[in-house]
Amino acid sequence: MSNFLDDNLNQSVFFDLNYLDVLGTDTFEYCLYHLLEQDELLVDFLAPYKNKHVGRKAYHPALLLRVIFYAYYRGQTSSRVIESLCKTDLKFMALASGHQPHFTTIADFVSHHCEAVSTLFHKVLLICDQSGLIGKEHFAIDGCKLPTNASKQWSGTHAELQKKSDKLKQAADKIIDRHKGSDVNEGEKINPDKEKQKTIDTLMNNAKKIDQFLVNNEPRMGKGKRPKEVQSNITDNESAKMTTSKGTIQGMVCVTAADEKHQIIIEAQTFGQGQEQSTLKPMVEGIRARLGEDVFEASVILTADTGFSSEDNMAYLFEENINAVVPDNQFRKRNPVFAESTLYNRHKEHRKKTRKDRSQGKSVIPSSDFAVNFDSNTCICPAGKEMLYQGNEFKGVSGKYTRFRGRLKDCRDCSLQTRCMKNPIKEHGRQVSFLNIEQSKKSYLDLMKQKIDSEAGRKIYSRRMWTIEPVFGNICSNKRLNRISLRGEAKATAQWLLYCMVHNIEKLWKNTKIAQRA
């Protein structure tokens, strides 16, 4: 008979184990432990604890932060999974000093220390700066849209939500009416069965939930000079519906700024809005708060993608003397490299063909053939007829426009009518718009267009890609963050900052290893 070693799982084993030996000496876990041993980093976390003389002993914030950071580094976001790992995984057991914190303790710690997390991020950032990891030559800003712990089915304007509440009540009433009708036919009164009653209760509770929300919350307004009502959300009213490459989500956009030298994250915030234009100014102010008010006074270059382009943002950047490159959404079309591209020309020809099909092959007289005088606010059409002045406050992509419209009787009897208008005349004549000369002179978008269209501007903007995109790749792909699990902008920002700190600490660890080897 063969001779084997003992293979008995039903036995108890005692390990002679040192937790520091488990962490190693040249690992991310040890770097994490060594960093959080500095008490000055955790002052804001320690302040709320008042159990020196009364109450049970609490978990030290350094212990919980080590466990949370390492879990995020390993791609684990669930507090229940983290609790399980503290019982089964040797590295987690070592970081937790042999303790086994409950999942509610872990979840509450993340959601109740938002300001302390922001302060800790700032202190870790200063350590990265002192270690020479921040070049302060080029900062790149971009956003990443992530779903939150809220359903898009509970989104809508107040009018839409009220309509949904009414429909839920009507659906419950229909079930009750059908049951009453069956009672009459059978000649006796029978209570609804459990399934029908459960459906009725669910419908009425959902309607009540919507009604309470409408009573306790004002309509949510968008941002801008003329804000309009945007969709609210009953579950998380600070999140928003936004369109992504993977469809429409209910979530937040995690706007992040990174330094080019080692892709160190220097600022990060989450915003509950799909459009990124209004997030540029808070991000710039956040960078100044992190690295000093004079950070942009040196030769620092700031880049951002087309989602941040707007007249107000460009005005802010130029007035603050920030050397920024933020292209508009048409800058590639003006690039000669793309103009010579076969793929681009094919797309261009396809658009021309589509426009021709829509206009049924008709060529329209362009607005450049109309004689306009901005001093007298008059416009003469190619047929020599004076057009009606409609105003000069019409907003467009490049600024404000002055609009003129032909008189109905003049356009109807005009011999150029078939060439001047695509469709037959119905309610009004030909309409043309002209960009205001004074407005065009003051346009900061045009100044930025000149900057991005230059050879130097294109080279600067090309650096944005390798500065900020690896950050999102590391957090969302390597660390597997695909969802913000907390509700509200403050808590979502805290969770995103925790992931950003994991990214920065990992950079700190790797570059420390390189320095030691050198």
Side-chain angles (χ1 to χ4, degrees), residues 438-469:
E438 294 183 358
Q439 181 69 22
S440 62
K441 289 181 179 179
K442 298 178 182 179
S443 174
Y444 290 99
L445 279 171
D446 289 340
L447 295 177
M448 187 57 71
K449 287 178 181 178
Q450 296 175 5
K451 201 170 187 179
I452 189 62
D453 289 344
S454 65
E455 185 177 355
R458 294 193 193 101
K459 286 183 178 180
I460 292 172
Y461 183 69
S462 66
R463 296 160 60 182
R464 184 198 71 86
M465 182 70 71
W466 66 67
T467 300
I468 190 63
E469 296 300 339

PDB file of all heavy atoms in Angstrom, residues 438-469:
ATOM      1  N   GLU A 438     -20.199  92.804 -32.426  1.00  0.00           N
ATOM      2  CA  GLU A 438     -19.644  93.143 -31.115  1.00  0.00           C
ATOM      3  C   GLU A 438     -19.475  91.883 -30.276  1.00  0.00           C
ATOM      4  O   GLU A 438     -18.498  91.722 -29.553  1.00  0.00           O
ATOM      5  CB  GLU A 438     -20.557  94.137 -30.400  1.00  0.00           C
ATOM      6  CG  GLU A 438     -20.621  95.491 -31.100  1.00  0.00           C
ATOM      7  CD  GLU A 438     -21.479  96.469 -30.330  1.00  0.00           C
ATOM      8  OE1 GLU A 438     -22.039  96.055 -29.291  1.00  0.00           O
ATOM      9  OE2 GLU A 438     -21.586  97.616 -30.752  1.00  0.00           O
ATOM     10  N   GLN A 439     -20.446  90.981 -30.372  1.00  0.00           N
ATOM     11  CA  GLN A 439     -20.372  89.744 -29.596  1.00  0.00           C
ATOM     12  C   GLN A 439     -19.228  88.875 -30.079  1.00  0.00           C
ATOM     13  O   GLN A 439     -18.528  88.251 -29.277  1.00  0.00           O
ATOM     14  CB  GLN A 439     -21.693  88.978 -29.713  1.00  0.00           C
ATOM     15  CG  GLN A 439     -21.739  87.677 -28.932  1.00  0.00           C
ATOM     16  CD  GLN A 439     -21.750  87.905 -27.439  1.00  0.00           C
ATOM     17  OE1 GLN A 439     -22.127  88.976 -26.997  1.00  0.00           O
ATOM     18  NE2 GLN A 439     -21.332  86.908 -26.679  1.00  0.00           N
ATOM     19  N   SER A 440     -19.046  88.816 -31.396  1.00  0.00           N
ATOM     20  CA  SER A 440     -17.984  87.974 -31.933  1.00  0.00           C
ATOM     21  C   SER A 440     -16.611  88.491 -31.536  1.00  0.00           C
ATOM     22  O   SER A 440     -15.681  87.726 -31.330  1.00  0.00           O
ATOM     23  CB  SER A 440     -18.098  87.899 -33.464  1.00  0.00           C
ATOM     24  OG  SER A 440     -17.931  89.196 -34.024  1.00  0.00           O
ATOM     25  N   LYS A 441     -16.470  89.817 -31.400  1.00  0.00           N
ATOM     26  CA  LYS A 441     -15.197  90.379 -30.980  1.00  0.00           C
ATOM     27  C   LYS A 441     -14.892  90.021 -29.530  1.00  0.00           C
ATOM     28  O   LYS A 441     -13.746  89.862 -29.155  1.00  0.00           O
ATOM     29  CB  LYS A 441     -15.221  91.900 -31.154  1.00  0.00           C
ATOM     30  CG  LYS A 441     -15.195  92.345 -32.612  1.00  0.00           C
ATOM     31  CD  LYS A 441     -15.200  93.852 -32.717  1.00  0.00           C
ATOM     32  CE  LYS A 441     -15.159  94.299 -34.174  1.00  0.00           C
ATOM     33  NZ  LYS A 441     -15.196  95.780 -34.285  1.00  0.00           N
ATOM     34  N   LYS A 442     -15.937  89.884 -28.710  1.00  0.00           N
ATOM     35  CA  LYS A 442     -15.761  89.611 -27.295  1.00  0.00           C
ATOM     36  C   LYS A 442     -15.751  88.106 -26.988  1.00  0.00           C
ATOM     37  O   LYS A 442     -15.621  87.722 -25.839  1.00  0.00           O
ATOM     38  CB  LYS A 442     -16.891  90.272 -26.499  1.00  0.00           C
ATOM     39  CG  LYS A 442     -16.930  91.790 -26.611  1.00  0.00           C
ATOM     40  CD  LYS A 442     -18.097  92.356 -25.829  1.00  0.00           C
ATOM     41  CE  LYS A 442     -18.170  93.863 -25.977  1.00  0.00           C
ATOM     42  NZ  LYS A 442     -19.338  94.432 -25.239  1.00  0.00           N
ATOM     43  N   SER A 443     -15.896  87.281 -28.007  1.00  0.00           N
ATOM     44  CA  SER A 443     -16.029  85.854 -27.773  1.00  0.00           C
ATOM     45  C   SER A 443     -14.704  85.246 -27.309  1.00  0.00           C
ATOM     46  O   SER A 443     -13.696  85.286 -28.025  1.00  0.00           O
ATOM     47  CB  SER A 443     -16.512  85.160 -29.048  1.00  0.00           C
ATOM     48  OG  SER A 443     -16.504  83.771 -28.879  1.00  0.00           O
ATOM     49  N   TYR A 444     -14.721  84.668 -26.109  1.00  0.00           N
ATOM     50  CA  TYR A 444     -13.548  83.948 -25.604  1.00  0.00           C
ATOM     51  C   TYR A 444     -13.431  82.583 -26.258  1.00  0.00           C
ATOM     52  O   TYR A 444     -12.343  82.005 -26.294  1.00  0.00           O
ATOM     53  CB  TYR A 444     -13.636  83.815 -24.086  1.00  0.00           C
ATOM     54  CG  TYR A 444     -13.445  85.123 -23.353  1.00  0.00           C
ATOM     55  CD1 TYR A 444     -14.535  85.859 -22.886  1.00  0.00           C
ATOM     56  CD2 TYR A 444     -12.174  85.633 -23.136  1.00  0.00           C
ATOM     57  CE1 TYR A 444     -14.354  87.051 -22.216  1.00  0.00           C
ATOM     58  CE2 TYR A 444     -11.980  86.836 -22.469  1.00  0.00           C
ATOM     59  CZ  TYR A 444     -13.079  87.539 -22.008  1.00  0.00           C
ATOM     60  OH  TYR A 444     -12.899  88.728 -21.362  1.00  0.00           O
ATOM     61  N   LEU A 445     -14.541  82.066 -26.770  1.00  0.00           N
ATOM     62  CA  LEU A 445     -14.479  80.797 -27.497  1.00  0.00           C
ATOM     63  C   LEU A 445     -13.619  80.924 -28.740  1.00  0.00           C
ATOM     64  O   LEU A 445     -12.857  80.009 -29.085  1.00  0.00           O
ATOM     65  CB  LEU A 445     -15.897  80.341 -27.874  1.00  0.00           C
ATOM     66  CG  LEU A 445     -16.701  79.634 -26.790  1.00  0.00           C
ATOM     67  CD1 LEU A 445     -18.138  79.451 -27.242  1.00  0.00           C
ATOM     68  CD2 LEU A 445     -16.084  78.290 -26.436  1.00  0.00           C
ATOM     69  N   ASP A 446     -13.707  82.074 -29.425  1.00  0.00           N
ATOM     70  CA  ASP A 446     -12.892  82.287 -30.611  1.00  0.00           C
ATOM     71  C   ASP A 446     -11.411  82.377 -30.260  1.00  0.00           C
ATOM     72  O   ASP A 446     -10.551  81.894 -31.003  1.00  0.00           O
ATOM     73  CB  ASP A 446     -13.333  83.559 -31.334  1.00  0.00           C
ATOM     74  CG  ASP A 446     -14.693  83.399 -32.001  1.00  0.00           C
ATOM     75  OD1 ASP A 446     -15.087  82.246 -32.224  1.00  0.00           O
ATOM     76  OD2 ASP A 446     -15.356  84.411 -32.267  1.00  0.00           O
ATOM     77  N   LEU A 447     -11.116  82.990 -29.121  1.00  0.00           N
ATOM     78  CA  LEU A 447      -9.719  83.056 -28.683  1.00  0.00           C
ATOM     79  C   LEU A 447      -9.171  81.658 -28.395  1.00  0.00           C
ATOM     80  O   LEU A 447      -8.027  81.350 -28.721  1.00  0.00           O
ATOM     81  CB  LEU A 447      -9.610  83.935 -27.434  1.00  0.00           C
ATOM     82  CG  LEU A 447      -9.964  85.418 -27.608  1.00  0.00           C
ATOM     83  CD1 LEU A 447      -9.877  86.142 -26.269  1.00  0.00           C
ATOM     84  CD2 LEU A 447      -9.032  86.080 -28.622  1.00  0.00           C
ATOM     85  N   MET A 448     -10.019  80.828 -27.787  1.00  0.00           N
ATOM     86  CA  MET A 448      -9.586  79.458 -27.509  1.00  0.00           C
ATOM     87  C   MET A 448      -9.462  78.651 -28.800  1.00  0.00           C
ATOM     88  O   MET A 448      -8.587  77.775 -28.920  1.00  0.00           O
ATOM     89  CB  MET A 448     -10.563  78.782 -26.543  1.00  0.00           C
ATOM     90  CG  MET A 448     -10.123  77.411 -26.062  1.00  0.00           C
ATOM     91  SD  MET A 448      -8.509  77.406 -25.239  1.00  0.00           S
ATOM     92  CE  MET A 448      -8.920  78.248 -23.703  1.00  0.00           C
ATOM     93  N   LYS A 449     -10.331  78.936 -29.785  1.00  0.00           N
ATOM     94  CA  LYS A 449     -10.227  78.254 -31.076  1.00  0.00           C
ATOM     95  C   LYS A 449      -8.887  78.554 -31.739  1.00  0.00           C
ATOM     96  O   LYS A 449      -8.243  77.669 -32.317  1.00  0.00           O
ATOM     97  CB  LYS A 449     -11.372  78.676 -31.994  1.00  0.00           C
ATOM     98  CG  LYS A 449     -12.725  78.097 -31.608  1.00  0.00           C
ATOM     99  CD  LYS A 449     -13.807  78.603 -32.548  1.00  0.00           C
ATOM    100  CE  LYS A 449     -15.166  78.047 -32.140  1.00  0.00           C
ATOM    101  NZ  LYS A 449     -16.258  78.553 -33.019  1.00  0.00           N
ATOM    102  N   GLN A 450      -8.459  79.819 -31.658  1.00  0.00           N
ATOM    103  CA  GLN A 450      -7.163  80.184 -32.226  1.00  0.00           C
ATOM    104  C   GLN A 450      -6.036  79.430 -31.520  1.00  0.00           C
ATOM    105  O   GLN A 450      -5.059  79.023 -32.143  1.00  0.00           O
ATOM    106  CB  GLN A 450      -6.949  81.693 -32.108  1.00  0.00           C
ATOM    107  CG  GLN A 450      -7.935  82.526 -32.907  1.00  0.00           C
ATOM    108  CD  GLN A 450      -7.761  84.013 -32.672  1.00  0.00           C
ATOM    109  OE1 GLN A 450      -6.841  84.446 -31.973  1.00  0.00           O
ATOM    110  NE2 GLN A 450      -8.659  84.814 -33.232  1.00  0.00           N
ATOM    111  N   LYS A 451      -6.204  79.234 -30.227  1.00  0.00           N
ATOM    112  CA  LYS A 451      -5.175  78.557 -29.443  1.00  0.00           C
ATOM    113  C   LYS A 451      -5.098  77.072 -29.800  1.00  0.00           C
ATOM    114  O   LYS A 451      -4.019  76.518 -29.994  1.00  0.00           O
ATOM    115  CB  LYS A 451      -5.493  78.725 -27.963  1.00  0.00           C
ATOM    116  CG  LYS A 451      -4.322  78.528 -27.039  1.00  0.00           C
ATOM    117  CD  LYS A 451      -4.692  78.958 -25.630  1.00  0.00           C
ATOM    118  CE  LYS A 451      -3.480  78.935 -24.725  1.00  0.00           C
ATOM    119  NZ  LYS A 451      -3.814  79.372 -23.354  1.00  0.00           N
ATOM    120  N   ILE A 452      -6.244  76.411 -29.881  1.00  0.00           N
ATOM    121  CA  ILE A 452      -6.256  74.974 -30.149  1.00  0.00           C
ATOM    122  C   ILE A 452      -5.913  74.684 -31.608  1.00  0.00           C
ATOM    123  O   ILE A 452      -5.390  73.614 -31.928  1.00  0.00           O
ATOM    124  CB  ILE A 452      -7.629  74.354 -29.787  1.00  0.00           C
ATOM    125  CG1 ILE A 452      -7.576  72.824 -29.854  1.00  0.00           C
ATOM    126  CG2 ILE A 452      -8.730  74.878 -30.681  1.00  0.00           C
ATOM    127  CD1 ILE A 452      -6.631  72.183 -28.896  1.00  0.00           C
ATOM    128  N   ASP A 453      -6.178  75.622 -32.514  1.00  0.00           N
ATOM    129  CA  ASP A 453      -5.881  75.403 -33.925  1.00  0.00           C
ATOM    130  C   ASP A 453      -4.406  75.595 -34.247  1.00  0.00           C
ATOM    131  O   ASP A 453      -3.957  75.225 -35.337  1.00  0.00           O
ATOM    132  CB  ASP A 453      -6.726  76.335 -34.795  1.00  0.00           C
ATOM    133  CG  ASP A 453      -8.187  75.932 -34.814  1.00  0.00           C
ATOM    134  OD1 ASP A 453      -8.477  74.784 -34.423  1.00  0.00           O
ATOM    135  OD2 ASP A 453      -9.038  76.758 -35.192  1.00  0.00           O
ATOM    136  N   SER A 454      -3.651  76.191 -33.334  1.00  0.00           N
ATOM    137  CA  SER A 454      -2.219  76.363 -33.572  1.00  0.00           C
ATOM    138  C   SER A 454      -1.490  75.035 -33.375  1.00  0.00           C
ATOM    139  O   SER A 454      -1.978  74.131 -32.691  1.00  0.00           O
ATOM    140  CB  SER A 454      -1.652  77.428 -32.630  1.00  0.00           C
ATOM    141  OG  SER A 454      -1.737  76.989 -31.287  1.00  0.00           O
ATOM    142  N   GLU A 455      -0.325  74.930 -33.946  1.00  0.00           N
ATOM    143  CA  GLU A 455       0.457  73.692 -33.816  1.00  0.00           C
ATOM    144  C   GLU A 455       0.843  73.438 -32.366  1.00  0.00           C
ATOM    145  O   GLU A 455       0.789  72.293 -31.886  1.00  0.00           O
ATOM    146  CB  GLU A 455       1.708  73.782 -34.689  1.00  0.00           C
ATOM    147  CG  GLU A 455       2.526  72.503 -34.708  1.00  0.00           C
ATOM    148  CD  GLU A 455       3.723  72.596 -35.644  1.00  0.00           C
ATOM    149  OE1 GLU A 455       3.841  73.617 -36.345  1.00  0.00           O
ATOM    150  OE2 GLU A 455       4.528  71.642 -35.661  1.00  0.00           O
ATOM    151  N   ALA A 456       1.213  74.504 -31.649  1.00  0.00           N
ATOM    152  CA  ALA A 456       1.583  74.359 -30.239  1.00  0.00           C
ATOM    153  C   ALA A 456       0.388  73.922 -29.404  1.00  0.00           C
ATOM    154  O   ALA A 456       0.503  73.092 -28.499  1.00  0.00           O
ATOM    155  CB  ALA A 456       2.146  75.677 -29.708  1.00  0.00           C
ATOM    156  N   GLY A 457      -0.803  74.476 -29.720  1.00  0.00           N
ATOM    157  CA  GLY A 457      -2.006  74.114 -28.976  1.00  0.00           C
ATOM    158  C   GLY A 457      -2.371  72.652 -29.154  1.00  0.00           C
ATOM    159  O   GLY A 457      -2.772  71.984 -28.192  1.00  0.00           O
ATOM    160  N   ARG A 458      -2.236  72.135 -30.368  1.00  0.00           N
ATOM    161  CA  ARG A 458      -2.537  70.724 -30.608  1.00  0.00           C
ATOM    162  C   ARG A 458      -1.562  69.805 -29.871  1.00  0.00           C
ATOM    163  O   ARG A 458      -1.951  68.761 -29.340  1.00  0.00           O
ATOM    164  CB  ARG A 458      -2.503  70.425 -32.102  1.00  0.00           C
ATOM    165  CG  ARG A 458      -3.603  71.133 -32.911  1.00  0.00           C
ATOM    166  CD  ARG A 458      -3.712  70.554 -34.300  1.00  0.00           C
ATOM    167  NE  ARG A 458      -4.517  71.410 -35.161  1.00  0.00           N
ATOM    168  CZ  ARG A 458      -4.023  72.256 -36.063  1.00  0.00           C
ATOM    169  NH1 ARG A 458      -2.706  72.339 -36.218  1.00  0.00           N
ATOM    170  NH2 ARG A 458      -4.806  72.995 -36.794  1.00  0.00           N
ATOM    171  N   LYS A 459      -0.292  70.184 -29.828  1.00  0.00           N
ATOM    172  CA  LYS A 459       0.691  69.374 -29.115  1.00  0.00           C
ATOM    173  C   LYS A 459       0.396  69.352 -27.620  1.00  0.00           C
ATOM    174  O   LYS A 459       0.526  68.311 -26.970  1.00  0.00           O
ATOM    175  CB  LYS A 459       2.093  69.922 -29.379  1.00  0.00           C
ATOM    176  CG  LYS A 459       2.622  69.625 -30.779  1.00  0.00           C
ATOM    177  CD  LYS A 459       4.043  70.138 -30.935  1.00  0.00           C
ATOM    178  CE  LYS A 459       4.581  69.800 -32.321  1.00  0.00           C
ATOM    179  NZ  LYS A 459       5.976  70.299 -32.497  1.00  0.00           N
ATOM    180  N   ILE A 460       0.011  70.504 -27.091  1.00  0.00           N
ATOM    181  CA  ILE A 460      -0.314  70.567 -25.659  1.00  0.00           C
ATOM    182  C   ILE A 460      -1.528  69.708 -25.358  1.00  0.00           C
ATOM    183  O   ILE A 460      -1.545  68.939 -24.389  1.00  0.00           O
ATOM    184  CB  ILE A 460      -0.558  72.025 -25.231  1.00  0.00           C
ATOM    185  CG1 ILE A 460       0.743  72.828 -25.296  1.00  0.00           C
ATOM    186  CG2 ILE A 460      -1.147  72.086 -23.823  1.00  0.00           C
ATOM    187  CD1 ILE A 460       0.562  74.309 -25.070  1.00  0.00           C
ATOM    188  N   TYR A 461      -2.544  69.816 -26.185  1.00  0.00           N
ATOM    189  CA  TYR A 461      -3.778  69.066 -25.919  1.00  0.00           C
ATOM    190  C   TYR A 461      -3.555  67.555 -26.048  1.00  0.00           C
ATOM    191  O   TYR A 461      -4.213  66.770 -25.380  1.00  0.00           O
ATOM    192  CB  TYR A 461      -4.882  69.510 -26.872  1.00  0.00           C
ATOM    193  CG  TYR A 461      -6.206  68.828 -26.596  1.00  0.00           C
ATOM    194  CD1 TYR A 461      -6.922  69.116 -25.443  1.00  0.00           C
ATOM    195  CD2 TYR A 461      -6.709  67.882 -27.474  1.00  0.00           C
ATOM    196  CE1 TYR A 461      -8.122  68.482 -25.164  1.00  0.00           C
ATOM    197  CE2 TYR A 461      -7.910  67.240 -27.208  1.00  0.00           C
ATOM    198  CZ  TYR A 461      -8.606  67.546 -26.055  1.00  0.00           C
ATOM    199  OH  TYR A 461      -9.793  66.905 -25.779  1.00  0.00           O
ATOM    200  N   SER A 462      -2.612  67.145 -26.905  1.00  0.00           N
ATOM    201  CA  SER A 462      -2.343  65.711 -27.070  1.00  0.00           C
ATOM    202  C   SER A 462      -1.801  65.091 -25.790  1.00  0.00           C
ATOM    203  O   SER A 462      -1.901  63.874 -25.595  1.00  0.00           O
ATOM    204  CB  SER A 462      -1.349  65.488 -28.209  1.00  0.00           C
ATOM    205  OG  SER A 462      -0.072  66.031 -27.886  1.00  0.00           O
ATOM    206  N   ARG A 463      -1.265  65.905 -24.874  1.00  0.00           N
ATOM    207  CA  ARG A 463      -0.738  65.391 -23.607  1.00  0.00           C
ATOM    208  C   ARG A 463      -1.850  65.051 -22.619  1.00  0.00           C
ATOM    209  O   ARG A 463      -1.602  64.379 -21.610  1.00  0.00           O
ATOM    210  CB  ARG A 463       0.209  66.429 -22.993  1.00  0.00           C
ATOM    211  CG  ARG A 463       1.448  66.683 -23.834  1.00  0.00           C
ATOM    212  CD  ARG A 463       2.123  67.997 -23.499  1.00  0.00           C
ATOM    213  NE  ARG A 463       2.556  68.057 -22.101  1.00  0.00           N
ATOM    214  CZ  ARG A 463       3.141  69.131 -21.561  1.00  0.00           C
ATOM    215  NH1 ARG A 463       3.343  70.214 -22.303  1.00  0.00           N
ATOM    216  NH2 ARG A 463       3.494  69.115 -20.297  1.00  0.00           N
ATOM    217  N   ARG A 464      -3.058  65.538 -22.882  1.00  0.00           N
ATOM    218  CA  ARG A 464      -4.170  65.282 -21.956  1.00  0.00           C
ATOM    219  C   ARG A 464      -4.474  63.797 -21.851  1.00  0.00           C
ATOM    220  O   ARG A 464      -4.742  63.281 -20.758  1.00  0.00           O
ATOM    221  CB  ARG A 464      -5.417  66.029 -22.438  1.00  0.00           C
ATOM    222  CG  ARG A 464      -6.609  65.912 -21.500  1.00  0.00           C
ATOM    223  CD  ARG A 464      -7.898  66.264 -22.208  1.00  0.00           C
ATOM    224  NE  ARG A 464      -8.259  65.229 -23.156  1.00  0.00           N
ATOM    225  CZ  ARG A 464      -8.952  64.143 -22.847  1.00  0.00           C
ATOM    226  NH1 ARG A 464      -9.353  63.931 -21.607  1.00  0.00           N
ATOM    227  NH2 ARG A 464      -9.238  63.244 -23.770  1.00  0.00           N
ATOM    228  N   MET A 465      -4.415  63.093 -22.960  1.00  0.00           N
ATOM    229  CA  MET A 465      -4.822  61.698 -23.006  1.00  0.00           C
ATOM    230  C   MET A 465      -4.020  60.834 -22.039  1.00  0.00           C
ATOM    231  O   MET A 465      -4.577  60.082 -21.238  1.00  0.00           O
ATOM    232  CB  MET A 465      -4.698  61.164 -24.434  1.00  0.00           C
ATOM    233  CG  MET A 465      -5.142  59.727 -24.600  1.00  0.00           C
ATOM    234  SD  MET A 465      -6.914  59.509 -24.445  1.00  0.00           S
ATOM    235  CE  MET A 465      -7.465  60.281 -25.968  1.00  0.00           C
ATOM    236  N   TRP A 466      -2.687  60.918 -22.097  1.00  0.00           N
ATOM    237  CA  TRP A 466      -1.879  60.038 -21.248  1.00  0.00           C
ATOM    238  C   TRP A 466      -1.746  60.563 -19.816  1.00  0.00           C
ATOM    239  O   TRP A 466      -1.122  59.923 -18.980  1.00  0.00           O
ATOM    240  CB  TRP A 466      -0.502  59.814 -21.872  1.00  0.00           C
ATOM    241  CG  TRP A 466       0.406  61.013 -21.955  1.00  0.00           C
ATOM    242  CD1 TRP A 466       0.979  61.698 -20.911  1.00  0.00           C
ATOM    243  CD2 TRP A 466       0.859  61.655 -23.147  1.00  0.00           C
ATOM    244  NE1 TRP A 466       1.757  62.720 -21.376  1.00  0.00           N
ATOM    245  CE2 TRP A 466       1.725  62.721 -22.751  1.00  0.00           C
ATOM    246  CE3 TRP A 466       0.651  61.438 -24.506  1.00  0.00           C
ATOM    247  CZ2 TRP A 466       2.346  63.567 -23.671  1.00  0.00           C
ATOM    248  CZ3 TRP A 466       1.282  62.285 -25.409  1.00  0.00           C
ATOM    249  CH2 TRP A 466       2.101  63.328 -24.991  1.00  0.00           C
ATOM    250  N   THR A 467      -2.340  61.730 -19.541  1.00  0.00           N
ATOM    251  CA  THR A 467      -2.291  62.266 -18.181  1.00  0.00           C
ATOM    252  C   THR A 467      -3.476  61.814 -17.351  1.00  0.00           C
ATOM    253  O   THR A 467      -3.318  61.365 -16.210  1.00  0.00           O
ATOM    254  CB  THR A 467      -2.231  63.800 -18.214  1.00  0.00           C
ATOM    255  OG1 THR A 467      -1.069  64.218 -18.929  1.00  0.00           O
ATOM    256  CG2 THR A 467      -2.185  64.379 -16.806  1.00  0.00           C
ATOM    257  N   ILE A 468      -4.677  61.890 -17.904  1.00  0.00           N
ATOM    258  CA  ILE A 468      -5.889  61.639 -17.105  1.00  0.00           C
ATOM    259  C   ILE A 468      -6.524  60.290 -17.394  1.00  0.00           C
ATOM    260  O   ILE A 468      -7.106  59.669 -16.486  1.00  0.00           O
ATOM    261  CB  ILE A 468      -6.915  62.781 -17.324  1.00  0.00           C
ATOM    262  CG1 ILE A 468      -8.064  62.690 -16.330  1.00  0.00           C
ATOM    263  CG2 ILE A 468      -7.410  62.789 -18.762  1.00  0.00           C
ATOM    264  CD1 ILE A 468      -7.675  62.858 -14.895  1.00  0.00           C
ATOM    265  N   GLU A 469      -6.437  59.787 -18.620  1.00  0.00           N
ATOM    266  CA  GLU A 469      -7.111  58.541 -18.947  1.00  0.00           C
ATOM    267  C   GLU A 469      -6.570  57.334 -18.170  1.00  0.00           C
ATOM    268  O   GLU A 469      -7.345  56.460 -17.773  1.00  0.00           O
ATOM    269  CB  GLU A 469      -7.049  58.278 -20.458  1.00  0.00           C
ATOM    270  CG  GLU A 469      -7.775  59.308 -21.314  1.00  0.00           C
ATOM    271  CD  GLU A 469      -9.264  59.408 -20.983  1.00  0.00           C
ATOM    272  OE1 GLU A 469      -9.832  58.454 -20.407  1.00  0.00           O
ATOM    273  OE2 GLU A 469      -9.859  60.451 -21.288  1.00  0.00           O
TER     274      GLU A 469
END
